[in-house]
Amino acid sequence: MSPTSETAKGGRRLVIVESPAKAKTIKGYLGPGYVVEASVGHIRDLPSGAAEVPEKYTGEVRRLGVDVDHDFQPIYVVNADKKAQVRKLKELLAESDELFLATDEDREGEAIAWHLQEVLKPKVPVHRMVFHEITKDAIQQAVRNPRELNKRMVDAQETRRILDRLYGYEVSPVLWKKVMRGLSAGRVQSVATRLVVERERERIAFRSAEYWDLTGTFSTGRTGDPSDPSSLVARLASVDGKRVAQGRDFGADGQLKNAGVLHLDEEKARALAASLDGTRFAVRSVESKPYRRSPYAPFRTTTLQQEASRKLGFGAKATMQVAQKLYENGFITYMRTDSTVLSDTAVTAARAQVTQLYGADYLPEKPRVYAGKVKNAQEAHEAIRPSGDRFRTPAETGLTGDQFRLYELIWKRTVASQMKDATGNSVTVKIGGTAADGRDAEFSASGKTITFHGFMKAYVEGADDPNAELDDRERRLPQVAEGDALAAEEITVDGHATKPPARYTEASLVKELEEREIGRPSTYASIIGTILDRGYVFKKGTALVPSFLSFAVVNLLEKHFGRLVDYDFTAKMEDDLDRIARGEAQAVPWLKRFYFGEGDGPGAGGAADAGNGDGDHLGGLKELVTDLGAIDAREISSFPVGDGIMLRVGRYGPYVERGEKDQEGHQRADVPDDMAPDELTVAYAEELLAKPSGDFELGADPETGHQIVAKDGRYGPYVTEILPEDTPKTGKNAVKPRTASLFKTMSLDTVTLEDALKLMSLPRVVGTDAEGVEITAQNGRYGPYLKKGTDSRSLTDEEQLFTITLEEALAIYAQPKQRGRAAAKPPLKELGTDPVSERPVVVKDGRFGPYVTDGETNATLRTDDSVETITPERGYELLAEKRAKGPAKKAAKKAPAKKTAAKKTTAAKTTAAKKTAAKKTATKKTTASATKTAAKKTAAKKATTAAKAAAGTATEDSGAE
């Protein structure tokens, strides 16, 4: 029965959750007397800028939003966009007899519940209502069994929030001063960025090694069948008992790590292959071992993100958005969890489906129990699984698109976790023979057969390496015995080269952060989103590539704030925060040691070691950010490329430079923003420097005498005029130089003075129509066009801007203006079939740039994507993220102001005349007061805007749990 606002037996109860979608679902499970309303996330937080801080606070408190001199007291303010919602909640609470705080059951949810209680100040009984799935039974049981607010969890979350604020608001300004405005630092985001940068450094330092081996195809001479093939393929394993070198035997410098192996080059490999021609081979050994593979544990947050990336092409952020919708609509349990534990109810449901769908042979005698592997896991949560005491199959849910696919993944993994092991045999066969030159050559082949698939009938885990073999892949070998003769059908020579370490993907970065115990798993999606949004990292396909900007930022942090981005120190900090959460340490002494470098005793933790790692500083964060004299801004943003060329990160982007500015032989050239750092070789840098750069003097304008030059700007080549030095550049008499972009058919080294003058003459007056309205030819953002009053018509090419006649222009305007869409342009690139919509995905050129589409969903290419480099997987990921966001919300139209009722007007007119004079006097005073108030508000508004502009980029890591 749906809830109503009527008071039922036992009074009226107000239930507050975070999201409207969650509220809508829960409403259906509570009876009359319950009102369910959403807080719409956090209603109160630390101020985002000084303008939001109450007037009574000044100085550092106003800047930080934390009073560091009084036990790190946080200054909380109600978010401006939540004030209306807070008013609504207070009105509902005033009509209620009980308050149930039903926010998520993790640390962040506990903190939201505490903030609600602090702001609403309820005078009625307050209960903390928790649940990990939104089903009727779970919700009704949560109402019957509430608990008290867990203040320890709240304190732990508050400590994290304060720590992240201090880190972000103190370190970010250092980046503004020494690298570039608008940058940010964060406790976890900076470490995550460092991981990606270090991987790129490894790739830059990597030197490839070449090695060769042989592959032989050997026949048994029998007629084969699927269970007993007639031949097998084996790789050369050793020569004269010496193992042949493989990729794993070489270091990152391209040199052999182990001198005891045989390194074959092409010449030696071909000579050996020739010697083995006609050699008789025989089976030397057959080793068979039992194969057993146990099912994977049910999903927790990070493993779900990794598998959704591997199997569905989802980014971490898109995965969490889809999972949030599934949770709020009652399809899965809570999706932010570190636990792999299943409740007894879930185990029973999973085992029932195993029997129903696969038979009793696939069900183990006892339920499987999975121990949590995550340190400091919040074990109160359950693993991510289908909700309810009976799991709905994907077909029964009625879900579609991304929600269907993610639910199916979770459902399969959960059911598979309660199935029997997969069993079989793994076999290794060694084959030997003596070459014509007397050398002994031994080949090896490995096979695997699965005799009972067990859980693999339901689910097989993906792999980060696209070339890796999945668990359910069989490799059948012929049934041979030791001493059997084999004939070499073919022996081929194969060349290989070692590859640099693979770049991180979202899935592998999540895995790396978790293994290093850095940050909380529930925050990884937002952390990756932050480093992408900040421009520290961009994507090429699914790979995360660091920008040159991130190299400068990490360089500064490593040299001057070393311990703050040290992996072990960051993990230790996480341990300290969890000790505070468990009540084993105190927050204030710990924060004092982190910030001031003072205080000892219980709860201090290891934060006093927050120096730069080389012993120069062992003090707190405050001292580190105050002493900036040793930081050379140019040095930390400069990186040697080779042959005297330096890569520098400047205010407007990266560039290469040889020599010093204003000196003879100085060269400089911009580097493409989307270039991967490991691709910047000396040869490519030389190529960039060899390109025409600087100003190309084209000559003087015959009419004005001003010099005309061609330049290469950040947004492409253009021509402009050089105005005399005494030309006013500011004020009402300011004169701007004429400027025009080059046509697509022009280039800096071929453009002439005549071309430049023509370009700068635009727009061109073509003539006037019969009514005297002027028609002009102009070059705009979307190409060349004609303009007559407010009527614009596109031209087919840029040259028409100078050649089109009045008659031709009038003929164009004589045609009816095309309405709706123009003829569809052919796609720029075809990417394949989308795994969700099963429609063909193509890249098209749109009004606002290239975008990917499957005919249903459109997603604009990001700054770091290009038509040339985008992969099918990246295209599918962009579409998945767009679907997860849902349709764009339309701005609500303002209702027209209601007219004053006629009755009130009449009443006003009948007011006694003797009161009129008094009213006028009051009106004057009110007007004067209102004017002053308005002026104050305007000033406050300007101050708010300025403060936001100054502080808006000093962000800190999300405190989400």
Side-chain angles (χ1 to χ4, degrees):
M1 186 179 292
S2 297
T4 70
S5 59
E6 299 170 7
T7 304
K9 187 177 179 181
R12 175 173 168 169
R13 303 171 181 88
L14 174 62
V15 180
I16 302 179
V17 297
E18 295 101 318
S19 74
K22 192 173 171 183
K24 184 179 178 182
T25 308
I26 291 174
K27 277 180 184 178
Y29 298 140
L30 295 174
Y34 288 91
V35 174
V36 186
E37 187 57 57
S39 67
V40 195
H42 286 273
I43 62 164
R44 193 172 75 154
D45 198 0
L46 296 175
S48 60
E52 293 185 7
V53 181
E55 292 291 336
K56 64 179 180 179
Y57 298 105
T58 59
E60 287 293 275
V61 182
R62 195 169 189 80
R63 181 176 70 86
L64 296 173
V66 176
D67 190 346
V68 296
D69 295 320
H70 294 87
D71 291 342
F72 296 86
Q73 189 67 33
I75 311 302
Y76 289 119
V77 295
V78 175
N79 303 343
D81 60 341
K82 297 296 174 62
K83 288 182 178 178
Q85 190 65 16
V86 169
R87 279 197 300 272
K88 182 178 180 181
L89 292 173
K90 285 183 176 179
E91 289 168 3
L92 291 172
L93 181 59
E95 300 171 0
S96 302
D97 302 298
E98 286 182 276
L99 173 63
F100 286 83
L101 299 172
T103 51
D104 293 336
E105 61 173 331
D106 55 18
R107 293 188 188 112
E108 187 181 19
E110 206 74 15
I112 292 174
W114 177 74
H115 281 295
L116 282 166
Q117 185 170 329
E118 291 291 300
V119 172
L120 299 179
K121 295 180 170 54
K123 296 177 182 178
V124 297
V126 180
H127 310 288
R128 180 73 173 101
M129 173 180 161
V130 294
F131 44 88
H132 63 269
E133 62 181 339
I134 302 176
T135 61
K136 186 173 183 178
D137 289 344
I139 296 303
Q140 293 183 347
Q141 188 169 348
V143 170
R144 289 193 296 268
N145 300 285
R147 62 169 172 79
E148 295 297 316
L149 198 67
N150 188 330
K151 195 60 170 65
R152 187 181 291 171
M153 287 177 70
V154 174
D155 291 342
Q157 179 65 13
E158 185 173 73
T159 304
R160 287 173 182 275
R161 190 75 185 91
I162 294 170
L163 170 66
D164 289 337
R165 169 55 64 98
L166 295 175
Y167 192 124
Y169 272 47
E170 292 287 21
V171 181
S172 296
V174 178
L175 301 182
W176 303 349
K177 294 174 185 176
K178 300 297 182 178
V179 184
M180 187 187 295
R181 291 289 301 178
L183 301 180
S184 71
R187 178 171 57 91
V188 180
Q189 78 171 55
S190 296
V191 176
T193 304
R194 184 188 174 199
L195 280 170
V196 180
V197 168
E198 283 202 333
R199 179 58 56 87
E200 196 72 7
R201 287 172 179 165
E202 292 172 11
R203 290 174 63 86
I204 292 170
F206 181 81
R207 296 294 175 267
S208 183
E210 188 181 83
Y211 61 96
W212 291 71
D213 59 15
L214 308 181
T215 300
T217 303
F218 300 94
S219 172
T220 61
R222 304 191 300 267
T223 302
D225 58 52
S227 63
D228 182 20
S230 61
S231 62
L232 75 162
V233 176
R235 190 172 292 277
L236 180 67
S238 64
V239 177
D240 287 337
K242 198 171 186 179
R243 185 170 63 80
V244 175
Q246 298 296 308
R248 64 180 180 274
D249 296 308
F250 295 89
D253 59 357
Q255 302 299 312
L256 274 176
K257 295 186 290 186
N258 181 4
V261 297
L262 176 64
H263 181 194
L264 292 178
D265 57 22
E266 183 178 6
E267 183 181 350
K268 292 175 181 176
R270 293 195 181 281
L272 179 59
S275 296
L276 289 172
D277 187 25
T279 296
R280 294 181 178 179
F281 290 92
V283 176
R284 290 185 175 174
S285 67
V286 179
E287 185 180 0
S288 179
K289 293 180 180 178
Y291 166 84
R292 178 175 291 274
R293 185 73 173 85
S294 296
Y296 323 98
F299 283 130
R300 57 181 191 273
T301 302
T302 53
T303 52
L304 176 64
Q305 290 171 0
Q306 291 167 48
E307 273 294 85
S309 175
R310 296 166 186 146
K311 287 181 174 288
L312 308 181
F314 292 179
K317 186 177 180 180
T319 299
M320 297 310 289
Q321 287 173 335
V322 177
Q324 180 88 30
K325 290 178 182 177
L326 289 174
Y327 166 66
E328 290 178 345
N329 289 300
F331 289 103
I332 63 171
T333 53
Y334 192 53
M335 67 285 159
R336 292 189 186 93
T337 174
D338 304 330
S339 176
T340 55
V341 174
L342 290 177
S343 65
D344 293 342
T345 302
V347 169
T348 302
R351 287 173 65 84
Q353 285 206 325
V354 171
T355 305
Q356 177 188 347
L357 299 174
Y358 301 101
D361 291 341
Y362 286 82
L363 187 70
E365 289 184 15
K366 295 180 180 179
R368 290 186 179 274
V369 178
Y370 295 90
K373 293 182 180 180
V374 179
K375 196 173 182 180
N376 299 310
Q378 299 184 64
E379 295 296 350
H381 297 179
E382 204 179 338
I384 303 170
R385 62 165 178 85
S387 59
D389 54 9
R390 177 195 171 277
F391 296 165
R392 286 168 282 188
T393 65
E396 292 173 328
T397 60
L399 293 167
T400 58
D402 292 345
Q403 290 189 45
F404 175 87
R405 299 177 70 216
L406 192 65
Y407 178 85
E408 183 181 46
L409 193 72
I410 294 166
W411 175 78
K412 284 182 175 180
R413 177 92 163 208
T414 308
V415 172
S417 73
Q418 291 299 318
M419 294 174 72
K420 281 185 177 179
D421 291 350
T423 57
N425 293 289
S426 59
V427 181
T428 302
V429 176
K430 293 190 175 178
I431 304 161
T434 304
D437 59 7
R439 285 186 288 176
D440 179 79
E442 188 170 88
F443 291 76
S444 179
S446 297
K448 181 178 74 176
T449 55
I450 299 174
T451 54
F452 178 70
H453 279 79
F455 74 93
M456 291 182 184
K457 281 281 187 183
Y459 187 84
V460 178
E461 190 171 70
D464 291 322
D465 182 357
N467 299 316
E469 189 174 82
L470 300 182
D471 286 337
D472 62 342
R473 188 71 54 84
E474 287 191 306
R475 298 186 307 277
R476 289 189 176 272
L477 299 181
Q479 296 178 12
V480 294
E482 187 175 329
D484 286 359
L486 298 176
E489 293 181 346
E490 182 183 27
I491 293 181
T492 59
V493 179
D494 302 317
H496 311 275
T498 56
K499 295 180 180 179
R503 291 190 178 99
Y504 287 109
T505 61
E506 288 198 31
S508 60
L509 182 58
V510 164
K511 185 177 181 182
E512 184 74 15
L513 288 168
E514 186 176 38
E515 287 179 351
R516 289 179 180 268
E517 297 174 358
I518 293 170
R520 300 300 309 176
S522 54
T523 67
Y524 292 158
S526 64
I527 292 297
I528 292 173
T530 298
I531 64 176
L532 285 166
D533 293 342
R534 289 288 175 187
Y536 293 151
V537 172
F538 61 93
K539 281 190 170 184
K540 279 201 170 183
T542 58
L544 297 174
V545 184
S547 63
F548 289 109
L549 174 63
S550 69
F551 269 67
V553 169
V554 170
N555 198 25
L556 184 152
L557 294 175
E558 286 177 334
K559 288 183 177 179
H560 300 279
F561 301 94
R563 294 300 290 275
L564 294 182
V565 289
D566 179 78
Y567 303 131
D568 292 337
F569 174 75
T570 307
K572 175 67 169 60
M573 201 184 301
E574 204 63 50
D575 285 345
D576 290 343
L577 290 167
D578 283 312
R579 287 173 54 226
I580 293 169
R582 295 192 299 269
E584 299 169 7
Q586 297 172 10
V588 172
W590 189 89
L591 286 169
K592 280 185 178 178
R593 291 197 63 178
F594 172 75
Y595 192 71
F596 292 116
E598 64 183 42
D600 46 33
D609 299 327
N612 64 358
D614 58 8
D616 289 348
H617 291 282
L618 291 176
L621 175 65
K622 184 62 178 174
E623 183 183 350
L624 287 174
V625 298
T626 304
D627 181 16
L628 304 181
I631 301 178
D632 185 327
R634 183 175 173 83
E635 180 189 348
I636 59 104
S637 296
S638 301
F639 307 91
V641 178
D643 288 354
I645 302 172
M646 296 291 289
L647 179 283
R648 303 193 195 279
V649 179
R651 183 179 177 186
Y652 300 108
Y655 61 94
V656 285
E657 185 176 47
R658 176 184 274 144
E660 292 297 325
K661 191 177 180 182
D662 300 328
Q663 292 185 4
E664 189 178 348
H666 175 255
Q667 292 176 289
R668 171 176 167 156
D670 290 331
V671 174
D673 290 328
D674 60 350
M675 184 178 196
D678 75 336
E679 295 172 2
L680 182 61
T681 61
V682 173
Y684 187 77
E686 293 279 13
E687 187 180 322
L688 290 174
L689 292 171
K691 287 182 178 179
S693 61
D695 297 354
F696 289 77
E697 293 187 5
L698 303 179
D701 183 344
E703 292 185 9
T704 64
H706 298 164
Q707 282 294 321
I708 307 300
V709 296
K711 295 186 174 187
D712 191 13
R714 297 297 298 179
Y715 304 104
Y718 65 99
V719 289
T720 187
E721 63 179 335
I722 306 299
L723 298 176
E725 290 185 7
D726 58 353
T727 304
K729 296 180 174 60
T730 58
K732 63 180 181 180
N733 296 320
V735 178
K736 290 186 177 181
R738 291 174 296 159
T739 300
S741 296
L742 267 59
F743 285 175
K744 293 176 182 177
T745 55
M746 299 176 177
S747 63
L748 282 174
D749 50 355
T750 61
V751 68
T752 65
L753 176 62
E754 183 183 2
D755 293 333
L757 293 174
K758 286 173 67 177
L759 289 170
M760 291 191 297
S761 71
L762 295 172
R764 178 174 74 93
V765 177
V766 179
T768 57
D769 67 3
E771 297 175 357
V773 181
E774 190 176 76
I775 300 174
T776 58
Q778 305 188 27
N779 203 11
R781 179 180 179 185
Y782 305 113
Y785 65 99
L786 293 174
K787 186 173 180 65
K788 184 179 73 167
T790 57
D791 191 355
S792 300
R793 304 294 177 95
S794 296
L795 295 174
T796 55
D797 62 68
E798 293 169 320
E799 288 300 327
Q800 282 185 288
L801 291 169
F802 302 120
T803 61
I804 192 166
T805 64
L806 178 59
E807 290 73 20
E808 290 170 336
L810 291 172
I812 291 174
Y813 276 104
Q815 301 295 322
K817 188 166 185 178
Q818 184 178 348
R819 300 291 177 185
R821 296 181 180 272
K825 297 179 183 178
L828 303 176
K829 190 174 186 179
E830 296 181 356
L831 299 179
T833 303
D834 184 85
V836 177
S837 64
E838 298 182 350
R839 290 169 170 263
V841 177
V842 296
V843 183
K844 289 190 172 184
D845 191 15
R847 183 179 180 187
F848 302 105
Y851 64 97
V852 290
T853 180
D854 63 352
E856 292 181 340
T857 306
N858 300 338
T860 304
L861 267 61
R862 306 284 169 78
T863 306
D864 308 316
D865 297 318
S866 69
V867 177
E868 295 75 23
T869 61
I870 191 168
T871 62
E873 291 76 17
R874 176 60 174 158
Y876 307 152
E877 180 184 10
L878 288 172
L879 290 174
E881 288 180 357
K882 187 63 182 288
R883 291 191 201 101
K885 289 180 181 178
K889 293 181 179 177
K890 294 183 178 179
K893 291 183 179 179
K894 290 185 178 179
K898 291 182 179 179
K899 293 182 179 179
T900 308
K903 283 183 180 179
K904 289 184 180 178
T905 306
T906 306
K909 285 181 179 178
T910 57
T911 306
K914 62 183 180 180
K915 293 183 180 179
T916 305
K919 278 193 173 182
K920 284 183 178 178
T921 305
T923 303
K924 283 182 180 179
K925 289 180 180 179
T926 305
T927 304
S929 175
T931 304
K932 288 180 180 179
T933 305
K936 283 184 179 179
K937 285 184 177 179
T938 304
K941 192 172 185 181
K942 287 180 178 177
T944 303
T945 306
K948 284 186 176 180
T953 47
T955 60
E956 63 271 28
D957 290 337
S958 168
E961 281 301 314

